[in-house]
């Protein structure tokens, strides 16, 4: 069995949903897996001219693939069931959706506690509290919830009884700057958003084929940390033109120029093989080609210069990385 991974190089919202969808459409996968976070994420997917925003269920469901919520995830049974109903009502066949029996459950108590958060600016989905209880060894797992019984699977069996010709696609959630260890702590989420985090679900390095690292041509962040400098008309335009509003919480995403230092760290730590830079058309429309290197803004002045700079990054990282640019909202 081989697995391709889609992970995010920034603070989420770089278009993983779109990348995952086009890979599922164009390549032959047999399984699709989520392995970190819960319904804090919102993956925007256009399928048969409908816009879907999925929070729990891997995008493999749109193609009838075995779509697994892995052991590294936390799951809110209520929003999971709601999502199943919504997808089924829209004509999507959900019988291939599975949950690892040992994924942890987000409880009403977790939601109550997270509702009071003002410090981090969480999505208020009880994510931190569910992971806290998991590590305190006081958590409840999917196998303990009768309602989830019919969806349970053993992720070890999924992986190690797969045939040689099976191919998995791992759909990451959140992004490198939100990683519990590598991100801008404490303004992070409570899971591992890296390739290593993906493997923690029960995959081996021997399964790794490609690692798609998804970026946007500029950075965004949602939460309590100050991220966007005040009174910068360019960044305000990027927010408006890029329609940078949270898919889950509808909050306005703070915008800044693409931070190259963070990008390089993510490429290194994740061993990215293919770097995808989404939403290039937004910088075209705003006509702004700035980046941040070592805390300084560098104006690359044109799209050509921007691309030359980005095309050179693989030589800095000394990996053999393919750089792919993406323009429209809907297709790669
Ligand atoms: P939590 O994951 O809800 O605890 O939120 C922690 C931080 O991660 C907050 O700043 C959230 O806005 C951010 N966050 C969590 N999930 C996502 C996501 O899918 N996209 C973007 N930001 C997210
Ligand atoms: Mg998102």
């Amino acid at each position: 069995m081989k697995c391709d991974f889609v992970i995010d190089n920034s603070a989420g919202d770089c278009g993983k949903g779109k990348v995952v969808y086009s890979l599922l459409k164009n390549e032959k996968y047999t399984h699709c897996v989520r392995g970190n976070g819960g319904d804090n994420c919102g993956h925007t997917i256009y399928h048969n001219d409908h816009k879907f925003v999925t929070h729990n269920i891997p995008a493999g469901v749109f193609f009838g693939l075995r779509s697994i919520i892995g052991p590294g995830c936390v799951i809110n049974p209520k929003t999971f069931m709601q999502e199943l109903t919504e997808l089924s009502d829209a004509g999507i066949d959900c019988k291939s959706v599975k949950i690892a029996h040992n994924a942890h459950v987000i409880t009403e108590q977790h939601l109550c506690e997270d509702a009071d958060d003002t410090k981090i600016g969480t999505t208020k989905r009880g994510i931190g509290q569910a992971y806290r209880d998991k590590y305190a060894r006081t958590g409840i797992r999917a196998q303990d919830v009768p309602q989830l019984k019919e969806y349970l699977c053993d992720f070890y069996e999924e992986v190690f009884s797969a045939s040689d010709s099976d191919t998995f696609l791992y759909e990451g959630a959140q992004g490198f700057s939100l990683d519990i260890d590598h991100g801008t702590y404490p303004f992070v989420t409570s899971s591992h958003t890296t390739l290593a985090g993906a493997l923690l679900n029960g995959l081996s390095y021997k399964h790794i084929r490609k690692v798609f690292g998804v970026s946007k041509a500029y950075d965004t962040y949602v939460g309590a940390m100050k991220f966007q400098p005040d009174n910068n008309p360019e960044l305000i335009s990027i927010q408006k033109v890029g329609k940078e509003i949270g898919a889950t919480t509808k909050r306005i995403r703070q915008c800044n120029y693409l931070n190259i230092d963070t990008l390089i760290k993510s490429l290194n730590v994740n061993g990215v093989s293919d770097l995808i830079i989404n939403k290039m058309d937004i910088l075209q429309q705003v006509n702004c080609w700035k980046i941040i290197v070592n805390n300084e803004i560098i104006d690359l002045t044109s799209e050509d210069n921007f691309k030359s700079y980005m095309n050179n990054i693989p030589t800095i990282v000394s990996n053999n990385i393919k750089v792919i640019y993406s323009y429209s909202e809907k297709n790669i």
Side-chain angles (χ1 to χ4, degrees):
M1 187 280 273
K2 289 287 171 206
C3 185
D4 290 343
F5 298 82
V6 177
I7 47 93
D8 181 301
N9 295 315
S10 302
D13 306 321
C14 286
K16 285 184 293 295
K18 176 176 144 176
V19 172
V20 163
Y21 186 85
S22 77
L23 284 168
L24 289 170
K25 203 169 171 189
N26 298 316
E27 310 284 332
K28 287 196 173 63
Y29 294 101
T30 53
H31 297 62
C32 186
V33 179
R34 280 217 30 213
N36 76 284
D39 58 352
N40 48 346
C41 79
H43 291 173
T44 306
I45 284 166
Y46 294 88
H47 178 69
N48 294 344
D49 292 330
H50 274 78
K51 182 180 171 179
F52 292 91
V53 182
T54 58
H55 301 285
N56 295 288
I57 299 175
V61 71
F62 295 105
F63 300 88
L65 305 182
R66 206 160 167 85
S67 298
I68 307 166
I69 297 169
C73 290
V74 286
I75 181 159
N76 177 334
K78 200 166 153 189
T79 64
F80 168 75
M81 298 305 290
Q82 269 168 6
E83 202 169 312
L84 270 186
T85 306
E86 273 167 32
L87 290 170
S88 302
D89 288 352
I92 310 294
D93 180 356
C94 294
K95 68 175 177 297
S96 58
V97 173
K98 294 284 159 200
I99 305 167
H101 67 88
N102 48 346
H104 274 253
V105 168
I106 301 167
T107 64
E108 290 297 327
Q109 174 64 29
H110 295 150
L111 291 170
C112 283
E113 285 181 51
D114 203 12
D116 294 335
D117 162 76
T118 48
K119 185 181 156 206
I120 307 299
T122 69
T123 60
K124 303 201 189 293
R125 298 299 194 269
I127 303 295
Q129 290 73 16
Y131 280 110
R132 176 198 65 202
D133 285 354
K134 167 177 170 167
Y135 287 100
R137 295 157 292 171
T138 55
I140 292 170
R141 296 190 289 176
Q143 65 188 25
D144 305 321
V145 180
Q147 200 185 9
L148 298 179
K149 211 172 188 113
E150 63 179 293
Y151 304 101
L152 299 181
C153 73
D154 181 332
F155 193 67
Y156 178 86
E157 288 301 327
E158 298 287 332
V159 173
F160 290 93
S161 62
S163 81
D164 281 354
S165 58
D166 282 352
T167 319
F168 285 40
L169 183 66
Y170 181 89
E171 178 181 335
Q174 291 82 45
F176 189 74
S177 325
L178 294 175
D179 182 89
I180 185 75
D181 290 320
H182 302 282
T184 48
Y185 192 92
F187 300 101
V188 294
T189 191
S190 298
S191 68
H192 301 279
T193 64
T194 53
L195 173 71
L199 298 181
L200 283 174
N201 283 275
L203 292 155
S204 145
Y205 74 91
K206 291 180 185 167
H207 295 121
I208 302 170
R209 192 170 65 176
K210 285 187 168 185
V211 182
F212 295 90
V214 187
S215 288
K216 245 182 334 205
Y218 50 92
D219 275 335
T220 57
Y221 158 83
V222 213
M225 178 176 75
K226 178 80 180 158
F227 185 74
Q228 176 170 337
D230 292 327
N231 306 319
N232 179 324
E234 257 168 11
L235 295 173
I236 292 167
S237 294
I238 287 175
Q239 191 277 322
K240 290 207 171 101
V241 177
K243 299 190 183 76
E244 293 297 346
I245 297 168
T248 301
T249 57
K250 309 279 179 273
R251 291 176 292 178
I252 287 184
R253 295 176 183 146
Q254 299 185 58
C255 297
N256 211 333
Y257 308 113
L258 180 63
N259 190 311
I260 300 296
D261 303 307
T262 306
L263 172 60
I264 288 174
K265 278 187 193 166
S266 174
L267 296 176
N268 276 326
V269 169
N270 289 307
V272 167
S273 62
D274 297 66
L275 165 61
I276 296 154
I277 303 174
N278 275 327
K279 287 190 133 176
M280 289 286 288
D281 47 325
I282 308 306
L283 292 196
Q284 278 179 340
Q285 285 178 61
V286 180
N287 192 23
C288 157
W289 301 99
K290 291 178 185 165
I291 56 174
I292 296 178
V293 181
N294 204 5
N295 294 318
E296 273 181 40
I297 297 170
I298 297 181
D299 190 351
L300 297 169
T301 68
S302 70
E303 183 171 358
D304 281 351
N305 289 345
F306 183 90
K307 283 185 170 170
S308 303
Y309 191 96
M310 301 310 285
N311 290 340
N312 191 46
I313 284 183
T315 62
I316 304 171
V317 176
S318 77
N319 281 344
N320 193 10
I321 302 172
K322 192 168 151 194
V323 186
I324 301 153
Y325 300 93
S326 160
Y327 289 81
S328 77
E329 275 277 4
K330 292 188 183 178
N331 300 309
I332 293 282

